[in-house]
Amino acid sequence: RSAHNATRSIRKAVTLEPGLLMGHNLLAKIYIGQGRFKKAMHHLEKALELDPSMWEALIQLQFVLHRTKRLDSARGRDVNAKICKRIKVLFKKQNVAADPQEIGFCSFFDKATWQRPLEEDASVTARMQANKYVALADILAPKIVEALQQYYRNIIKTKYKVRFAEKTRRYEFEEAPLANLVNLMLTDLVSALTGQSVVPTYAFPVYYVSGGHIWPHLDVAENEISLTMQLELSPQH
C-alpha cells in the first residue's frame, strides 16, 4: 500500500511539474520493477530529454530496450554507442589504459561476455536450484576484471568521490556508474540461474581494508536475490 501511495504521489508530482527529472527517473524504476516497460521507457525518454547526460536513465533505458528486444533498433544502437563512449571517459579519468570496446565491455548483454559461467559449466543452474546459492569463478572476462580493478584502485588512490566508513573499515563510493552498469549486464545470468525473470535494484561497490566486516543486510525483504562479486583479494592489505 505504501509503495502504491508513493507511486501515485510521484506520478502526481510529475504531472504538475513535467520538468521534474528525478520524478521521471523514479517512476521508470518503479515501472521496470513491475515489468511495465512501455511506461518505463516513456519516463526514461522524458528524463533524457531533460538531461541527455543522465547516466542512470541511459543505462536503464538500455536495459528496457534489451528486455523488449529492441536493443538492435536505431535507438538501441544509439544508446549503446553513448554508453560505450561514457565508459571510455570514465576509464580515461581514472587512468585505465584498456579500451572498453576491445576488452568486450561494450558487448552489451552478449551471452558469451556476461553469462560466462553458463557457457563453461551447465551444472551451475541445477546447483543454484538445489542449494539456493552457488559460488561462481570467473564471472567476468579477465581483461574486464583487470580494468575494473584499476578503475577502483585509482579512485581509492585519488580519493575521488569516496569516503571511508570507520565502523565497517571500508571505502564507499559516492557514485557507482560502472557498478550499476555491470549489475544490469549480469541480470540475464541471475535470471538463468534462478529460473525467474529478475529486475536488479541497486549496486553497492565497497573496498574493505584490514579489519573490515559486513553487517547484516537490512533490506532482505526488498531484495530476494543477492549477487556478491569479489574483484580482488589482497591479504597483505
Side-chain angles (χ1 to χ4, degrees):
R1 188 178 182 84
S2 59
H4 174 75
N5 290 338
T7 304
R8 187 170 57 185
S9 297
I10 299 169
R11 192 165 53 232
K12 184 177 180 180
V14 168
T15 301
L16 293 172
E17 180 52 68
L20 195 60
L21 176 63
M22 293 309 297
H24 287 292
N25 192 58
L26 282 171
L27 274 178
K29 292 188 76 169
I30 291 169
Y31 288 136
I32 289 173
Q34 296 172 345
R36 301 165 73 181
F37 296 123
K38 186 175 180 179
K39 283 184 173 291
M41 192 178 301
H42 167 76
H43 287 285
L44 290 169
E45 293 287 15
K46 284 291 184 183
L48 289 167
E49 282 179 22
L50 294 166
D51 181 3
S53 67
M54 188 177 187
W55 175 258
E56 189 174 2
L58 196 63
I59 62 174
Q60 286 189 107
L61 178 58
Q62 183 193 49
F63 177 74
V64 170
L65 289 167
H66 169 62
R67 279 292 174 92
T68 55
K69 303 187 185 304
R70 295 178 57 191
L71 204 55
D72 287 331
S73 67
R75 182 56 171 148
R77 291 191 295 273
D78 175 59
V79 169
N80 285 350
K82 288 178 178 177
I83 291 175
C84 191
K85 185 177 180 180
R86 290 280 292 278
I87 297 171
K88 289 180 180 180
V89 172
L90 290 168
F91 274 18
K92 185 176 181 180
K93 186 177 290 187
Q94 296 304 329
N95 297 316
V96 178
D99 183 319
Q101 202 146 14
E102 290 181 2
I103 65 175
F105 214 123
C106 295
S107 300
F108 302 117
F109 295 103
D110 173 63
K111 189 172 183 179
T113 303
W114 301 101
Q115 297 186 53
R116 284 166 53 87
L118 297 181
E119 296 284 297
E120 297 176 3
D121 184 358
S123 72
V124 294
T125 301
R127 284 189 278 132
M128 176 68 182
Q129 298 291 335
N131 303 318
K132 305 304 179 186
Y133 78 93
V134 66
L136 305 173
D138 303 321
I139 290 181
L140 300 179
K143 288 184 178 180
I144 293 179
V145 171
E146 184 179 344
L148 288 171
Q149 288 173 340
Q150 291 177 8
Y151 176 79
Y152 285 109
R153 282 193 209 116
N154 285 337
I155 290 180
I156 296 295
K157 184 178 179 180
T158 60
K159 301 295 190 292
Y160 177 75
K161 293 189 177 181
V162 66
R163 58 179 177 269
F164 185 71
E166 186 63 46
K167 185 177 181 180
T168 50
R169 302 283 297 162
R170 69 187 185 189
Y171 288 99
E172 299 174 354
F173 303 88
E174 294 177 19
E175 296 181 353
L178 291 185
N180 285 325
L181 178 63
V182 170
N183 193 38
L184 289 169
M185 290 300 119
L186 292 174
T187 303
D188 289 348
L189 170 63
V190 178
S191 291
L193 289 173
T194 60
Q196 302 177 44
S197 180
V198 301
V199 174
T201 49
Y202 65 91
F204 187 58
V206 292
Y207 190 103
Y208 286 93
V209 300
S210 180
H213 60 280
I214 301 175
W215 291 85
H217 289 192
L218 302 177
D219 57 356
V220 174
E222 292 81 15
N223 297 279
E224 298 178 31
I225 301 165
S226 177
L227 172 64
T228 301
M229 182 168 65
Q230 180 177 291
L231 281 176
E232 185 174 31
L233 176 63
S234 302
Q236 66 270 28
H237 299 307

